[in-house]
Amino acid sequence: MKRILYILSVFTIFASFFVVMFSSCGEFAERRMKGVVAECEGKQLTERDLRPLTRGLSAEDSIRVVEHHIRQWCINLQMEKTIGKESMGKKKQEIERLVEDYRRSLYAYEWERYLVSREMSQHVVDTVVLAYYEAHKEKFVLRETILRGALLVVPNQAPGLDKVKKQLAQLASAQVQMQGDEQMEVLEQLEKYAYQNASGYELFLEEWKTASQILLRMPFEEDNLHKLLKQKRQVSMQDSLNTYVLQVSEMYVRGEQMPLDFARGEIEKIILSQRQVEFIQQKREEIYKEALEQGKLKLYEK
């Protein structure tokens, strides 16, 4: 009899062990299927939640970011639990109200972005840009010198540099009216020379560059560059390795009025910002009137 009871006891222990084990395995498998990474206060954090945080990061940085996020997530949940205690009940209600207000604000913000992208014109016509520019010229004063032209950087021993300097001057000079074919020929010759000899070549005859952008490529001090450009439109200098040739076709110095084509981008941003404010106000007013007309909003006298 004792032997039978012993066998039954052992069987019961093993049966309980397997029930717990298989139950745990089932929970583990379920968590694996969901991609659960962490669990706290009955809430789960999944790989899907963490994936946007690590996009584009190295493995080492990803681990650091994920660990920090899990840590903060756990701390925040503990704080949320603490604030739910009776002694902080009123504070919790206030926080929930703020969260609800913020949630509505987020919906409204996304709705506005959607409407602007779908229904508001992003095109600003030239006449509107010009009218704004003429009416607000005091806003468009250059904070630094801008210029158009070309920059060539070649080793000091590069051949035929004098000829190339003349071609750059010819191409950039406003006094020389080059025919289309002639201009293309000069451009091709310059590009061929740059490909064979130059360590740096940039042609920006149709694009404005700031002095700071140019000085990143040349060993000039800004004041020295300004002094030289007041005297001539082509400046050249050498260091121990390279010769730098800057050819200027057009220039506006710091403190002068911005040319319209340089100011255009800033003007368009201002106009579109104003247009967006007016557009959203109009849409909000339409929604309010619609709610009144359709009986969605009811107002009662006090």
Side-chain angles (χ1 to χ4, degrees):
M1 184 68 179
K2 288 182 179 180
R3 180 177 177 83
I4 293 172
L5 290 173
Y6 173 76
I7 292 172
L8 288 173
S9 298
V10 171
F11 176 78
T12 302
I13 291 170
F14 273 99
S16 300
F17 170 76
F18 281 113
V19 167
V20 171
M21 184 182 73
F22 282 116
S23 174
S24 299
C25 288
E27 292 175 6
F28 176 76
E30 185 179 353
R31 286 197 297 270
R32 290 279 294 185
M33 287 182 64
K34 291 181 179 179
V36 176
V37 176
E39 192 168 352
C40 181
E41 296 294 339
K43 298 185 183 297
Q44 294 178 335
L45 200 61
T46 67
E47 294 176 3
R48 185 177 181 181
D49 298 324
L50 298 171
R51 199 172 295 127
L53 302 175
T54 60
R55 190 172 292 120
L57 299 179
S58 65
E60 184 178 347
D61 289 340
S62 295
I63 292 171
R64 185 163 56 251
V65 167
V66 167
E67 288 178 347
H68 177 74
H69 183 80
I70 292 174
R71 177 186 176 88
Q72 294 303 118
W73 173 74
C74 175
I75 291 170
N76 291 342
L77 285 176
Q78 296 300 312
M79 289 181 174
E80 183 180 339
K81 182 181 178 181
T82 302
I83 205 169
K85 294 180 179 178
E86 186 177 351
S87 60
M88 300 186 73
K90 292 183 179 180
K91 191 66 177 176
K92 183 182 178 183
Q93 291 176 3
E94 176 65 14
I95 289 174
E96 288 176 349
R97 184 187 66 78
L98 292 173
V99 168
E100 183 62 19
D101 289 345
Y102 182 62
R103 185 182 69 86
R104 291 196 186 99
S105 297
L106 281 178
Y107 278 126
Y109 174 71
E110 290 300 325
W111 169 81
E112 290 172 357
R113 285 183 59 192
Y114 174 78
L115 284 182
V116 167
S117 65
R118 291 289 298 271
E119 298 184 19
M120 193 189 89
S121 172
Q122 302 294 317
H123 179 64
V124 183
V125 297
D126 293 342
T127 52
V128 173
V129 172
L130 178 59
Y132 191 93
Y133 176 78
E134 293 293 341
H136 303 88
K137 281 189 173 182
E138 72 283 355
K139 293 183 178 181
F140 302 107
V141 176
L142 287 168
R143 291 181 286 275
E144 65 175 317
T145 297
I146 60 172
L147 44 89
R148 285 173 168 166
L151 176 64
L152 180 70
V153 184
V154 293
N156 288 333
Q157 305 305 318
L161 190 55
D162 288 340
K163 179 182 177 182
V164 171
K165 288 181 179 180
K166 290 179 181 178
Q167 288 175 326
L168 285 171
Q170 182 185 18
L171 190 65
S173 176
Q175 298 176 354
V176 177
Q177 299 297 323
M178 299 177 67
Q179 298 298 321
D181 293 342
E182 184 183 0
Q183 187 178 38
M184 286 301 299
E185 184 180 349
V186 171
L187 282 171
E188 288 174 2
Q189 290 176 6
L190 285 170
E191 289 175 1
K192 183 178 179 181
Y193 180 88
Y195 178 77
Q196 293 175 343
N197 300 284
S199 57
Y201 173 64
E202 190 171 4
L203 193 68
F204 48 98
L205 294 169
E206 303 297 328
E207 177 188 359
W208 291 108
K209 296 281 186 181
T210 62
S212 58
Q213 289 174 317
I214 297 298
L215 290 169
L216 288 173
R217 306 284 301 276
M218 299 183 72
F220 267 114
E221 293 293 334
E222 186 171 355
D223 290 341
N224 291 337
L225 179 61
H226 284 161
K227 288 177 183 177
L228 289 170
L229 289 176
K230 285 180 180 180
Q231 301 168 10
K232 51 187 176 181
R233 283 293 185 258
Q234 186 180 98
V235 296
S236 178
M237 73 165 296
Q238 287 185 338
D239 59 18
S240 59
L241 297 175
N242 296 312
T243 298
Y244 304 83
V245 182
L246 174 64
Q247 176 68 54
V248 176
S249 62
E250 194 173 2
M251 182 175 72
Y252 289 82
V253 300
R254 181 177 56 240
E256 287 186 339
Q257 189 77 40
M258 287 183 192
L260 177 59
D261 57 345
F262 184 79
R264 184 183 181 95
E266 187 175 342
I267 293 172
E268 286 182 345
K269 287 180 183 178
I270 293 170
I271 292 172
L272 287 174
S273 178
Q274 293 175 346
R275 184 185 294 175
Q276 181 172 321
V277 170
E278 294 169 0
F279 176 81
I280 293 300
Q281 287 176 343
Q282 178 187 341
K283 287 296 180 181
R284 284 178 170 272
E285 188 63 26
E286 288 174 3
I287 288 174
Y288 180 73
K289 288 181 179 178
E290 183 180 302
L292 283 173
E293 291 170 359
Q294 296 181 3
K296 296 177 181 178
L297 173 65
K298 296 178 181 178
L299 301 175
Y300 304 100
E301 293 184 4
K302 291 184 179 180

